[in-house]
Amino acid sequence: MTKPPSASRFRPARRLASLSDHGGLVAEIDRRRLLRGGFSLGALAMLTGCDVTDNDAVQRGLRAVSRWNDRVQAALFRPDKLAPTYDRAQVVKPPRFNAYYGIEDVEPVDGAAWRLELAGLIGDRRPWTLREINALPAQTWIYRHVCVEGWDYIGQWSGPNFRLFLERIGADLTAKYVAFRCADGYTGSIDMPSALHPQTILATGYADEPIADPFGYPLRLRTAVKLGFKNPKWITAIEVTNSYPGGYWEDRGFNWFSGL
Amino acid sequence: MTRQMHPPAIRIMHWLNALAMLVMVTSGWKIYEDEPLFGTVRFPDAITLGGEAQGALQWHYAGMWLMVANGLAYVAYGLATGRFRRLLLPIRPGELLATLRDALRLRLGHDDLTRYNPVQKAMYVGVLAIGFVQVISGLAIWKPVQFAELTLLFGDFQGARIAHFVGMMAIVLFVFVHATLALIVPQTLRAMLTGNPGGSR
């Protein structure tokens, strides 16, 4: 199911395999080794070496700092601070594509056959059809999409508010994480406070039309308080959990919280 | 014992800052490469840090702690001990221009290296100010929602990126001039290593 990486805008690392081998690091951080190895003068003296970042001890140290930065960002996050919003005239059409492969490799999802599976700390885990999603009250937001690469655009997204959806399915709103699985094999997760932010929605529409295939039809996450890669497209399953779920890019070294 | 020109705390903070700057600039160049602001301005991998974007981001957001902690300690020290007032102030425009003229004619005196000339003062105060703006534009890029007001200072998100880039260029230019002058007058380099210019004549 997972597509091979190709030359897309937001592309995977060349040393994908070696970095994937370190996936377990995300879950387990050894602080003493950070101090002993990651920031030793020896490691710093090797700064000019091209592989220093992938060195086990250095990578362990850098990921420990990244986890610390997760905590700092969670502390900085204000649940009711709204992102700036814009006029319809400023909306970019179509939105800018991003995935771990090129737009030509997008496999459209059949909306009629599509189901949204629910798992984890959720009271009612019955799957949802697109018709049921569309029957929920929708809201429209025009805010900025910011990619970790450095580009951004203003987009207009509509769909049910995510907090409303989580309440409707009886999710445990005190749980730590909301995780997503997507039709293309992509995975991702966000913290519960960001999931409950007023500008976080399950988007089904863009600029008054259903979302086009490359941008996540039939359902994707849109949140104003996270970088672009934290907005999974073509969502097929949502899980509410207290155990750290990681994600496609996060497992490859990108900062997990990635809050705006 | 007389006071050293650069007490140990200053020397440690100076070289920690040099290290932090090296990490921030070279990892920043790699981050920039994912979405260049100016098509012709590119940074080859050989002079960047991080290997890939995620590695560069890891370094950038780790180096920032060293840079900010060290920078705050430096400013607190400079204010508390009166070092800033003693060494960096006052800067008189007339003297500044006269010194600049002398420097460009290569007729600048180096009799007392423990006192900064007006050009040095202006350069050091200037780079401190740029460093401060660089932190602000960095926060504006990192948190354009939580610190939306800061992002607005630069127009928008891309404006903050441009400001952050221009600030980087100014700092790199400073480092280039600073290091060149330190090599031309090596006693200044010795002072930052041992505490005093030495070479008693």
Side-chain angles (χ1 to χ4, degrees):
Chain A
M1 189 70 194
T2 305
K3 296 171 187 179
S6 77
S8 69
R9 291 288 323 143
F10 194 177
R11 57 203 171 282
R14 273 202 300 279
R15 281 184 291 275
L16 204 63
S18 77
L19 272 178
S20 317
D21 295 339
H22 305 154
L25 294 175
V26 177
E28 208 230 347
I29 291 136
D30 185 330
R31 295 190 151 271
R32 278 173 305 162
R33 290 196 60 171
L34 154 69
L35 295 172
R36 196 152 21 96
F39 282 161
S40 73
L41 282 178
L44 291 167
M46 286 164 54
L47 275 182
T48 48
C50 52
D51 278 319
V52 66
T53 305
D54 288 347
N55 171 289
D56 253 1
V58 173
Q59 187 53 218
R60 211 188 312 272
L62 288 170
R63 292 207 183 201
V65 177
S66 191
R67 292 283 280 181
W68 160 254
N69 286 339
D70 287 343
R71 297 220 293 272
V72 171
Q73 293 178 87
L76 285 175
F77 179 76
R78 283 169 290 168
D80 41 14
K81 168 83 179 180
L82 294 185
T85 54
Y86 303 90
D87 298 331
R88 277 168 194 267
Q90 294 171 279
V91 173
V92 172
K93 293 176 230 178
R96 183 160 169 178
F97 177 77
N98 62 299
Y100 64 94
Y101 45 83
I103 193 166
E104 67 282 359
D105 291 327
V106 169
E107 283 175 17
V109 172
D110 174 6
W114 174 87
R115 294 290 181 276
L116 177 63
E117 310 282 338
L118 301 177
L121 307 171
I122 291 172
D124 181 357
R125 293 195 286 266
R126 271 179 308 182
W128 285 61
T129 64
L130 185 55
R131 188 191 298 263
E132 289 167 329
I133 294 281
N134 285 334
L136 291 170
Q139 52 181 217
T140 295
W141 290 104
I142 302 176
Y143 48 54
R144 205 173 279 277
H145 174 122
V146 177
C147 178
V148 67
E149 292 182 328
W151 50 267
D152 71 299
Y153 69 88
I154 292 166
Q156 177 195 322
W157 301 93
S158 47
N161 180 272
F162 196 34
R163 173 194 275 272
L164 177 135
F165 180 78
L166 290 171
E167 286 170 350
R168 184 68 63 94
I169 60 178
D172 177 0
L173 302 186
T174 65
K176 284 187 186 164
Y177 309 105
V178 182
F180 304 89
R181 209 170 54 234
C182 307
D184 63 345
Y186 189 78
T187 55
S189 59
I190 62 173
D191 56 296
M192 183 61 82
S194 296
L196 300 178
H197 186 265
Q199 291 170 310
T200 301
I201 64 173
L202 288 175
T204 55
Y206 186 82
D208 300 317
E209 304 277 344
I211 296 179
D213 286 323
F215 309 106
Y217 178 85
L219 187 80
R220 68 169 297 171
L221 185 74
R222 267 309 279 136
T223 172
V225 293
K226 294 286 188 198
L227 286 170
F229 78 92
K230 304 293 290 184
N231 294 252
K233 302 184 280 291
W234 312 288
I235 297 173
T236 55
I238 296 176
E239 181 184 5
V240 174
T241 177
N242 278 315
S243 45
Y244 175 74
Y248 183 90
W249 288 114
E250 296 85 340
D251 296 349
R252 287 162 176 79
F254 283 91
N255 175 259
W256 175 72
F257 195 92
S258 286
L260 291 178
Chain B
M1 185 180 150
T2 54
R3 182 168 56 196
Q4 286 183 317
M5 182 190 182
H6 300 313
I10 284 291
R11 280 176 276 149
I12 290 168
M13 289 188 286
H14 173 272
W15 292 110
L16 279 179
N17 187 54
L19 177 69
M21 284 297 150
L22 184 68
V23 167
M24 294 308 276
V25 169
T26 54
S27 62
W29 286 347
K30 183 66 199 175
I31 296 167
Y32 169 95
E33 279 296 301
D34 250 357
E35 183 70 9
L37 284 163
F38 312 103
T40 51
V41 182
R42 305 300 297 266
F43 302 100
D45 274 356
I47 58 166
T48 67
L49 175 65
E52 296 291 338
Q54 54 266 61
L57 288 158
Q58 289 171 348
W59 279 108
H60 210 70
Y61 288 108
M64 73 175 184
W65 293 112
L66 174 62
M67 192 197 66
V68 167
N70 191 57
L72 287 175
Y74 173 77
V75 170
Y77 183 99
L79 293 174
T81 62
R83 181 182 169 89
F84 285 167
R85 195 163 17 89
R86 196 173 67 248
L87 287 181
L88 301 182
L89 297 175
I91 303 172
R92 297 197 176 87
E95 292 175 10
L96 179 65
L97 288 174
T99 313
L100 204 54
R101 260 196 311 272
D102 289 349
L104 294 174
R105 289 183 191 139
L106 302 177
R107 265 193 280 170
L108 199 60
H110 303 303
D111 304 329
D112 183 4
L113 292 171
T114 64
R115 290 162 64 92
Y116 291 149
N117 66 49
V119 173
Q120 281 180 294
K121 290 179 183 176
M123 291 258 299
Y124 296 147
V125 170
V127 80
L128 283 173
I130 291 166
F132 176 75
V133 176
Q134 197 69 344
V135 170
I136 301 299
S137 61
L139 288 172
I141 294 167
W142 188 37
K143 293 284 157 202
V145 173
Q146 301 306 321
F147 302 147
E149 297 75 14
L150 294 183
T151 313
L152 203 58
L153 285 177
F154 303 97
D156 58 14
F157 182 76
Q158 294 302 325
R161 282 190 72 209
I162 290 170
H164 207 57
F165 184 86
V166 171
M168 175 278 295
M169 286 201 302
I171 288 170
V172 169
L173 181 66
F174 166 85
V175 169
F176 183 76
V177 173
H178 180 64
T180 303
L181 293 178
L183 292 175
I184 291 173
V185 189
Q187 297 96 315
T188 59
L189 183 58
R190 190 186 309 162
M192 197 44 89
L193 290 167
T194 67
N196 285 307
S200 48
R201 284 156 290 190

